[in-house]
Amino acid sequence: MMREVELKNRTMKMLARLNAPRAVTGNAEAAKSEAEFLCKRIKGLAPTRQFTEWFDDFEEALLGNLDTRSWPTAKQIGDAARQIAPKRQQLVDDTQPKGYEPDELKINADRIKRNEDVGESYITGTFAEQMVRSGLVTQEQLEPYKKYLNHWKKN
């Protein structure tokens, strides 16, 4: 909630420094609607953490790219957000090695080895065949699971 209010306040202060587009000049309802649209667009692009720092960088990029002193378009807002993205520190998951991609076959093979629950396709389906072929599990390790499935399919 604080994030949304802060971003809206900052956006409205920025818009107050600029001229409203001619299409909404003199029409308070249209100007309000356009301002709310721009606020919504900015809130959608802003990160959940460090959004005040992000907004400072975003505002500088946006105002620096405007050709006129009128309100930005949705496209200009998106362009400014993309422009600052490379310099923004990304949230990094340091719990996994660089380039880590979870291997669902290996994960489920490990579950089978620990006699944990797995989906049926890891017992009798294509995934089961791939795990056996690649040596992640043996047919013998799958046997208790197959017996369990056969028991339930009979009943």
Side-chain angles (χ1 to χ4, degrees), residues 27-37 71:
N27 183 340
E29 190 60 36
K32 179 182 177 195
S33 178
E34 180 69 9
E36 287 173 354
F37 168 76
W71 290 1

PDB file of all heavy atoms in Angstrom, residues 27-37 71:
ATOM      1  N   ASN A  27     -10.354  19.801 -19.597  1.00  0.00           N
ATOM      2  CA  ASN A  27     -11.305  18.736 -19.254  1.00  0.00           C
ATOM      3  C   ASN A  27     -10.742  18.008 -18.034  1.00  0.00           C
ATOM      4  O   ASN A  27      -9.912  17.098 -18.167  1.00  0.00           O
ATOM      5  CB  ASN A  27     -11.473  17.790 -20.452  1.00  0.00           C
ATOM      6  CG  ASN A  27     -12.506  16.703 -20.204  1.00  0.00           C
ATOM      7  OD1 ASN A  27     -12.848  16.403 -19.069  1.00  0.00           O
ATOM      8  ND2 ASN A  27     -12.983  16.109 -21.289  1.00  0.00           N
ATOM      9  N   ALA A  28     -11.177  18.431 -16.861  1.00  0.00           N
ATOM     10  CA  ALA A  28     -10.630  17.904 -15.605  1.00  0.00           C
ATOM     11  C   ALA A  28     -10.791  16.390 -15.496  1.00  0.00           C
ATOM     12  O   ALA A  28      -9.882  15.699 -15.023  1.00  0.00           O
ATOM     13  CB  ALA A  28     -11.295  18.595 -14.415  1.00  0.00           C
ATOM     14  N   GLU A  29     -11.939  15.876 -15.936  1.00  0.00           N
ATOM     15  CA  GLU A  29     -12.194  14.431 -15.843  1.00  0.00           C
ATOM     16  C   GLU A  29     -11.239  13.649 -16.743  1.00  0.00           C
ATOM     17  O   GLU A  29     -10.679  12.627 -16.340  1.00  0.00           O
ATOM     18  CB  GLU A  29     -13.646  14.120 -16.210  1.00  0.00           C
ATOM     19  CG  GLU A  29     -14.070  12.703 -15.921  1.00  0.00           C
ATOM     20  CD  GLU A  29     -13.963  12.318 -14.447  1.00  0.00           C
ATOM     21  OE1 GLU A  29     -14.216  13.151 -13.576  1.00  0.00           O
ATOM     22  OE2 GLU A  29     -13.598  11.147 -14.182  1.00  0.00           O
ATOM     23  N   ALA A  30     -11.026  14.132 -17.960  1.00  0.00           N
ATOM     24  CA  ALA A  30     -10.107  13.462 -18.888  1.00  0.00           C
ATOM     25  C   ALA A  30      -8.673  13.557 -18.379  1.00  0.00           C
ATOM     26  O   ALA A  30      -7.907  12.587 -18.476  1.00  0.00           O
ATOM     27  CB  ALA A  30     -10.234  14.073 -20.282  1.00  0.00           C
ATOM     28  N   ALA A  31      -8.284  14.700 -17.826  1.00  0.00           N
ATOM     29  CA  ALA A  31      -6.931  14.866 -17.286  1.00  0.00           C
ATOM     30  C   ALA A  31      -6.714  13.914 -16.115  1.00  0.00           C
ATOM     31  O   ALA A  31      -5.652  13.289 -16.005  1.00  0.00           O
ATOM     32  CB  ALA A  31      -6.709  16.314 -16.856  1.00  0.00           C
ATOM     33  N   LYS A  32      -7.718  13.804 -15.267  1.00  0.00           N
ATOM     34  CA  LYS A  32      -7.621  12.890 -14.117  1.00  0.00           C
ATOM     35  C   LYS A  32      -7.488  11.450 -14.601  1.00  0.00           C
ATOM     36  O   LYS A  32      -6.660  10.682 -14.099  1.00  0.00           O
ATOM     37  CB  LYS A  32      -8.850  13.038 -13.224  1.00  0.00           C
ATOM     38  CG  LYS A  32      -8.836  12.123 -12.026  1.00  0.00           C
ATOM     39  CD  LYS A  32     -10.085  12.275 -11.190  1.00  0.00           C
ATOM     40  CE  LYS A  32     -10.033  11.271 -10.055  1.00  0.00           C
ATOM     41  NZ  LYS A  32     -11.302  11.099  -9.401  1.00  0.00           N
ATOM     42  N   SER A  33      -8.277  11.080 -15.587  1.00  0.00           N
ATOM     43  CA  SER A  33      -8.240   9.722 -16.131  1.00  0.00           C
ATOM     44  C   SER A  33      -6.876   9.419 -16.744  1.00  0.00           C
ATOM     45  O   SER A  33      -6.315   8.338 -16.547  1.00  0.00           O
ATOM     46  CB  SER A  33      -9.355   9.557 -17.163  1.00  0.00           C
ATOM     47  OG  SER A  33      -9.319   8.280 -17.727  1.00  0.00           O
ATOM     48  N   GLU A  34      -6.330  10.374 -17.494  1.00  0.00           N
ATOM     49  CA  GLU A  34      -5.017  10.185 -18.117  1.00  0.00           C
ATOM     50  C   GLU A  34      -3.931  10.074 -17.051  1.00  0.00           C
ATOM     51  O   GLU A  34      -3.044   9.221 -17.139  1.00  0.00           O
ATOM     52  CB  GLU A  34      -4.712  11.347 -19.072  1.00  0.00           C
ATOM     53  CG  GLU A  34      -3.371  11.242 -19.763  1.00  0.00           C
ATOM     54  CD  GLU A  34      -3.274  10.114 -20.778  1.00  0.00           C
ATOM     55  OE1 GLU A  34      -4.290   9.472 -21.112  1.00  0.00           O
ATOM     56  OE2 GLU A  34      -2.149   9.861 -21.259  1.00  0.00           O
ATOM     57  N   ALA A  35      -3.998  10.902 -16.029  1.00  0.00           N
ATOM     58  CA  ALA A  35      -3.004  10.859 -14.947  1.00  0.00           C
ATOM     59  C   ALA A  35      -3.071   9.521 -14.217  1.00  0.00           C
ATOM     60  O   ALA A  35      -2.034   8.931 -13.889  1.00  0.00           O
ATOM     61  CB  ALA A  35      -3.222  12.022 -13.977  1.00  0.00           C
ATOM     62  N   GLU A  36      -4.268   9.027 -13.969  1.00  0.00           N
ATOM     63  CA  GLU A  36      -4.422   7.729 -13.298  1.00  0.00           C
ATOM     64  C   GLU A  36      -3.869   6.604 -14.172  1.00  0.00           C
ATOM     65  O   GLU A  36      -3.249   5.671 -13.669  1.00  0.00           O
ATOM     66  CB  GLU A  36      -5.887   7.475 -12.956  1.00  0.00           C
ATOM     67  CG  GLU A  36      -6.377   8.325 -11.810  1.00  0.00           C
ATOM     68  CD  GLU A  36      -7.869   8.208 -11.560  1.00  0.00           C
ATOM     69  OE1 GLU A  36      -8.588   7.547 -12.350  1.00  0.00           O
ATOM     70  OE2 GLU A  36      -8.325   8.789 -10.559  1.00  0.00           O
ATOM     71  N   PHE A  37      -4.082   6.698 -15.467  1.00  0.00           N
ATOM     72  CA  PHE A  37      -3.545   5.704 -16.389  1.00  0.00           C
ATOM     73  C   PHE A  37      -2.022   5.686 -16.332  1.00  0.00           C
ATOM     74  O   PHE A  37      -1.401   4.623 -16.258  1.00  0.00           O
ATOM     75  CB  PHE A  37      -4.030   5.982 -17.820  1.00  0.00           C
ATOM     76  CG  PHE A  37      -3.294   5.179 -18.858  1.00  0.00           C
ATOM     77  CD1 PHE A  37      -3.571   3.831 -19.036  1.00  0.00           C
ATOM     78  CD2 PHE A  37      -2.306   5.759 -19.640  1.00  0.00           C
ATOM     79  CE1 PHE A  37      -2.881   3.076 -19.983  1.00  0.00           C
ATOM     80  CE2 PHE A  37      -1.614   5.012 -20.578  1.00  0.00           C
ATOM     81  CZ  PHE A  37      -1.899   3.675 -20.757  1.00  0.00           C
ATOM     82  N   TRP A  71       3.045  15.770 -20.845  1.00  0.00           N
ATOM     83  CA  TRP A  71       3.011  14.477 -20.182  1.00  0.00           C
ATOM     84  C   TRP A  71       3.537  13.387 -21.105  1.00  0.00           C
ATOM     85  O   TRP A  71       3.297  13.413 -22.310  1.00  0.00           O
ATOM     86  CB  TRP A  71       1.594  14.134 -19.762  1.00  0.00           C
ATOM     87  CG  TRP A  71       1.063  14.974 -18.644  1.00  0.00           C
ATOM     88  CD1 TRP A  71       1.687  15.990 -17.989  1.00  0.00           C
ATOM     89  CD2 TRP A  71      -0.231  14.852 -18.059  1.00  0.00           C
ATOM     90  NE1 TRP A  71       0.866  16.522 -17.038  1.00  0.00           N
ATOM     91  CE2 TRP A  71      -0.323  15.830 -17.045  1.00  0.00           C
ATOM     92  CE3 TRP A  71      -1.319  14.030 -18.279  1.00  0.00           C
ATOM     93  CZ2 TRP A  71      -1.455  15.995 -16.263  1.00  0.00           C
ATOM     94  CZ3 TRP A  71      -2.454  14.189 -17.498  1.00  0.00           C
ATOM     95  CH2 TRP A  71      -2.520  15.152 -16.494  1.00  0.00           C
TER      96      TRP A  71
END
